[in-house]
Amino acid sequence: MAQVGSAGPGACGRRGAGAGAGPERTTWRWAPALLWLATAAAVAGDPSRRQWPVPYKRFSFRPEPDPYCQAKYTFCPTGSPIPVMKDDDVIEVFRLQAPVWEFKYGDLLGHLKIMHDAIGFRSTLTEKNYTMEWYELFQLGNCTFPHLRPEMNAPFWCNQGAACFFEGIDDSHWKENGTLVLVATISGGMFNRMAKWVKQDNETGIYYETWTVQASPERGAERWFESYDCSKFVLRTYEKLAELGADFKKIETNYTRIFLYSGEPTYLGNETSVFGPTGNKTLALAIKKFYYPFKPHLSTKEFLLSLLQIFDAVVIHREFYLFYNFEYWFLPMKYPFIKITYEEIPLPNRKNRTLSGL
């Protein structure tokens, strides 16, 4: 199946390129920019709404993508339906991790611990293997920054993420520069219950969020916004399996995070209240000016100039406009501004001891 749902790479640009590249309207070259900004930064609303971190908004259904949004690499090109397992089957669960955009940059981003996460399954009855992952429909840049279309007053977002399930595990790929390790063993019945949850999770959690935003790098610092990416999907799935009775092995598991650091965010409004007929024209202009340097299809000269503009806005003037839950927020940026981490998040403990794991 093309995805676990009805409609159609943190740092989760998918590990490999899909077949059948589409039009390149939405091609971006900002992966190096994020790394540059993180390095350079290291060197150099309504109060009643404010629940921190702001809860990720879920939806009743997944909308069809706008035809304007075209992926350079086809989403989930070899996708297939999640099979129904026999209840007495024994399913092995594998942690899968490999460098982001390995098909393009090799192990370069692996050395920087910028990794893509997925889950593998193996049926002992059929001896078939499966891979399940969650990533962007239109590549990472489109989920992180909008298009400024001249015919539209508001920024235009091509932001959806979805689950992809397909038969097979590319053992050599995951092992060569990443991780392929057994983390749990579950029953076929437990797998089937997980599959029903995946469909519901995928239908209601429809958009990707690159950034984790918090007050400082210190442990226990106030967190303003959570990311919603490939690793968060893996973590949610592990938690669901633990809830169903799965016992996980005691092994270290680390995940990539891209942090923004800011003071308390200010709620600005949604598209209508900011960019509509009665919106704040000064604020609307400021938001579009902020996003302008992130536009795609830049010449080398334009790209370098844009890097300077981004540095000036984020580091010198300490400003960042975040789009979250289809609403705009202002972030008063703080040192170290942006940081890419590879942090340990332990595997969950079994939640329900009354359920039979096998």
Side-chain angles (χ1 to χ4, degrees), residues 1-20:
M1 64 194 301
Q3 64 177 34
V4 185
S6 60
C12 296
R14 190 173 179 244
R15 58 190 173 82

mmCIF file of all heavy atoms in Angstrom, residues 1-20:
data_model
loop_
_atom_site.group_PDB
_atom_site.id
_atom_site.type_symbol
_atom_site.label_atom_id
_atom_site.label_comp_id
_atom_site.label_asym_id
_atom_site.label_seq_id
_atom_site.Cartn_x
_atom_site.Cartn_y
_atom_site.Cartn_z
ATOM 1 N N MET A 1 0.838 -1.189 0.000
ATOM 2 C CA MET A 1 0.000 0.000 0.000
ATOM 3 C C MET A 1 0.872 1.237 0.000
ATOM 4 O O MET A 1 1.935 1.252 0.595
ATOM 5 C CB MET A 1 -0.937 -0.008 1.213
ATOM 6 C CG MET A 1 -0.250 0.073 2.538
ATOM 7 S SD MET A 1 -1.344 -0.354 3.909
ATOM 8 C CE MET A 1 -2.605 0.885 3.688
ATOM 9 N N ALA A 2 0.414 2.287 -0.663
ATOM 10 C CA ALA A 2 1.207 3.502 -0.740
ATOM 11 C C ALA A 2 1.399 4.127 0.620
ATOM 12 O O ALA A 2 2.374 4.787 0.877
ATOM 13 C CB ALA A 2 0.550 4.507 -1.676
ATOM 14 N N GLN A 3 0.445 3.926 1.516
ATOM 15 C CA GLN A 3 0.601 4.350 2.899
ATOM 16 C C GLN A 3 -0.462 3.649 3.715
ATOM 17 O O GLN A 3 -1.407 3.084 3.199
ATOM 18 C CB GLN A 3 0.477 5.864 3.059
ATOM 19 C CG GLN A 3 -0.897 6.395 2.688
ATOM 20 C CD GLN A 3 -0.984 7.883 2.936
ATOM 21 O OE1 GLN A 3 -0.033 8.596 2.780
ATOM 22 N NE2 GLN A 3 -2.138 8.336 3.310
ATOM 23 N N VAL A 4 -0.304 3.709 5.028
ATOM 24 C CA VAL A 4 -1.269 3.074 5.899
ATOM 25 C C VAL A 4 -2.405 4.047 6.130
ATOM 26 O O VAL A 4 -2.525 4.674 7.159
ATOM 27 C CB VAL A 4 -0.608 2.676 7.233
ATOM 28 C CG1 VAL A 4 -1.588 1.909 8.090
ATOM 29 C CG2 VAL A 4 0.626 1.841 6.978
ATOM 30 N N GLY A 5 -3.230 4.272 5.134
ATOM 31 C CA GLY A 5 -4.289 5.242 5.229
ATOM 32 C C GLY A 5 -4.965 5.410 3.893
ATOM 33 O O GLY A 5 -4.850 4.567 3.018
ATOM 34 N N SER A 6 -5.625 6.546 3.700
ATOM 35 C CA SER A 6 -6.439 6.704 2.503
ATOM 36 C C SER A 6 -5.915 7.755 1.535
ATOM 37 O O SER A 6 -6.499 7.954 0.500
ATOM 38 C CB SER A 6 -7.858 7.086 2.926
ATOM 39 O OG SER A 6 -7.858 8.287 3.648
ATOM 40 N N ALA A 7 -4.860 8.448 1.860
ATOM 41 C CA ALA A 7 -4.318 9.461 0.964
ATOM 42 C C ALA A 7 -2.841 9.240 0.752
ATOM 43 O O ALA A 7 -2.216 8.515 1.412
ATOM 44 C CB ALA A 7 -4.538 10.844 1.523
ATOM 45 N N GLY A 8 -2.448 9.534 0.164
ATOM 46 C CA GLY A 8 -1.008 9.331 -0.031
ATOM 47 C C GLY A 8 -0.143 8.906 1.141
ATOM 48 O O GLY A 8 0.361 9.617 1.727
ATOM 49 N N PRO A 9 12.726 13.680 4.611
ATOM 50 C CA PRO A 9 13.097 12.781 5.283
ATOM 51 C C PRO A 9 13.539 13.571 6.361
ATOM 52 O O PRO A 9 13.519 13.324 6.606
ATOM 53 C CB PRO A 9 13.987 12.254 4.222
ATOM 54 C CG PRO A 9 13.870 12.605 3.068
ATOM 55 C CD PRO A 9 13.372 13.550 3.431
ATOM 56 N N GLY A 10 11.821 15.705 12.929
ATOM 57 C CA GLY A 10 13.127 15.765 12.867
ATOM 58 C C GLY A 10 13.968 15.600 11.721
ATOM 59 O O GLY A 10 14.051 15.962 10.617
ATOM 60 N N ALA A 11 14.271 14.952 11.561
ATOM 61 C CA ALA A 11 15.411 14.761 10.676
ATOM 62 C C ALA A 11 15.192 13.500 9.892
ATOM 63 O O ALA A 11 16.081 12.701 9.735
ATOM 64 C CB ALA A 11 16.670 14.676 11.504
ATOM 65 N N CYS A 12 14.025 13.303 9.407
ATOM 66 C CA CYS A 12 13.643 11.988 8.895
ATOM 67 C C CYS A 12 13.513 11.938 7.398
ATOM 68 O O CYS A 12 12.712 11.172 6.894
ATOM 69 C CB CYS A 12 12.340 11.553 9.535
ATOM 70 S SG CYS A 12 12.499 11.317 11.288
ATOM 71 N N GLY A 13 14.245 12.743 6.654
ATOM 72 C CA GLY A 13 14.256 12.534 5.223
ATOM 73 C C GLY A 13 14.552 11.085 4.984
ATOM 74 O O GLY A 13 15.460 10.531 5.578
ATOM 75 N N ARG A 14 13.786 10.416 4.151
ATOM 76 C CA ARG A 14 13.856 8.958 4.100
ATOM 77 C C ARG A 14 15.244 8.488 3.720
ATOM 78 O O ARG A 14 15.975 9.130 2.989
ATOM 79 C CB ARG A 14 12.813 8.409 3.130
ATOM 80 C CG ARG A 14 12.699 6.896 3.237
ATOM 81 C CD ARG A 14 11.554 6.351 2.399
ATOM 82 N NE ARG A 14 11.514 4.912 2.520
ATOM 83 C CZ ARG A 14 11.712 4.080 1.515
ATOM 84 N NH1 ARG A 14 11.969 4.547 0.334
ATOM 85 N NH2 ARG A 14 11.645 2.783 1.700
ATOM 86 N N ARG A 15 15.587 7.288 4.190
ATOM 87 C CA ARG A 15 16.917 6.702 4.021
ATOM 88 C C ARG A 15 17.293 6.493 2.566
ATOM 89 O O ARG A 15 18.437 6.540 2.189
ATOM 90 C CB ARG A 15 16.960 5.348 4.738
ATOM 91 C CG ARG A 15 15.890 4.425 4.206
ATOM 92 C CD ARG A 15 15.710 3.164 5.017
ATOM 93 N NE ARG A 15 14.555 2.417 4.541
ATOM 94 C CZ ARG A 15 14.564 1.605 3.502
ATOM 95 N NH1 ARG A 15 15.662 1.452 2.804
ATOM 96 N NH2 ARG A 15 13.486 0.963 3.140
ATOM 97 N N GLY A 16 16.311 6.220 1.679
ATOM 98 C CA GLY A 16 16.624 5.921 0.291
ATOM 99 C C GLY A 16 15.651 6.573 -0.646
ATOM 100 O O GLY A 16 14.580 6.986 -0.255
ATOM 101 N N ALA A 17 16.012 6.675 -1.936
ATOM 102 C CA ALA A 17 15.137 7.316 -2.913
ATOM 103 C C ALA A 17 14.133 6.322 -3.453
ATOM 104 O O ALA A 17 14.461 5.189 -3.744
ATOM 105 C CB ALA A 17 15.975 7.860 -4.063
ATOM 106 N N GLY A 18 12.890 6.769 -3.582
ATOM 107 C CA GLY A 18 11.877 5.930 -4.200
ATOM 108 C C GLY A 18 11.986 5.996 -5.710
ATOM 109 O O GLY A 18 12.572 6.897 -6.279
ATOM 110 N N ALA A 19 11.377 5.035 -6.374
ATOM 111 C CA ALA A 19 11.369 5.035 -7.826
ATOM 112 C C ALA A 19 10.363 6.039 -8.331
ATOM 113 O O ALA A 19 9.427 6.400 -7.655
ATOM 114 C CB ALA A 19 11.018 3.636 -8.324
ATOM 115 N N GLY A 20 10.556 6.519 -9.523
ATOM 116 C CA GLY A 20 9.574 7.369 -10.168
ATOM 117 C C GLY A 20 9.552 8.776 -9.635
ATOM 118 O O GLY A 20 8.574 9.201 -9.046
#
